Amino acid sequence: EEQKQELPDNREIDGLLEQVDNLARRVGLRWETFTPMADEPQGFYARVPVQFSVSGDYHSIAVFFAKVGNLKRIVNIEDIQMGSAKEENGKLILKVSGVAVTYRFIEGGTEKKKG
């Protein structure tokens, strides 16, 4: 059961979105986008990438990434881009985009994505 939390056998994007949304709001980030992409089969598991962008101050972004790293479900943050800095209420606000990648188990899966 503990392993299924780290590598579930379905996408469960809605539940993941809710968890990540709660984390982002608690640290003071604003969501710009959260767009699930197509699964990428890799044998017994599939990569489940989600494009995202958030805005907030640097410290809040760092705390958010640390909290995502502590979720029970495996989530990696890839292709991070920071920019569009602007000052709001005395704080430097950055826009951060990237790809959050989680994984799901494929029962009896050995098929790899072609191409």
Side-chain angles (χ1 to χ4, degrees):
E1 193 62 35
E2 190 173 310
Q3 288 175 337
K4 279 192 173 187
Q5 288 180 352
E6 293 176 5
L7 191 63
D9 56 6
N10 58 42
R11 287 178 60 96
E12 296 182 13
I13 293 298
D14 291 339
L16 179 62
L17 172 59
E18 187 176 328
Q19 282 183 311
V20 172
D21 178 57
N22 287 336
L23 291 176
R25 289 176 191 270
R26 275 190 265 157
V27 299
L29 298 182
R30 289 187 306 253
W31 283 108
E32 306 286 333
T33 60
F34 190 92
T35 309
M37 299 163 54
D39 287 8
E40 300 169 2
Q42 305 286 314
F44 72 91
Y45 69 93
R47 294 176 84 244
V48 183
V50 178
Q51 287 184 323
F52 72 91
S53 62
V54 294
S55 59
D57 66 84
Y58 182 84
H59 178 75
S60 297
I61 292 165
V63 170
F64 171 69
F65 287 160
K67 289 184 179 291
V68 168
N70 289 324
L71 289 172
K72 289 197 184 282
R73 180 154 181 184
I74 299 169
V75 180
N76 295 323
I77 305 293
E78 302 175 352
D79 301 327
I80 298 170
Q81 297 179 355
M82 290 187 181
S84 303
K86 61 182 177 180
E87 189 174 336
E88 284 183 18
N89 300 322
K91 288 186 177 182
L92 189 61
I93 303 299
L94 299 170
K95 182 175 180 179
V96 177
S97 62
V99 178
V101 179
T102 189
Y103 305 86
R104 68 175 179 84
F105 179 70
I106 299 174
E107 186 71 40
T110 56
E111 184 178 320
K112 287 196 174 198
K113 186 176 181 178
K114 294 179 182 171

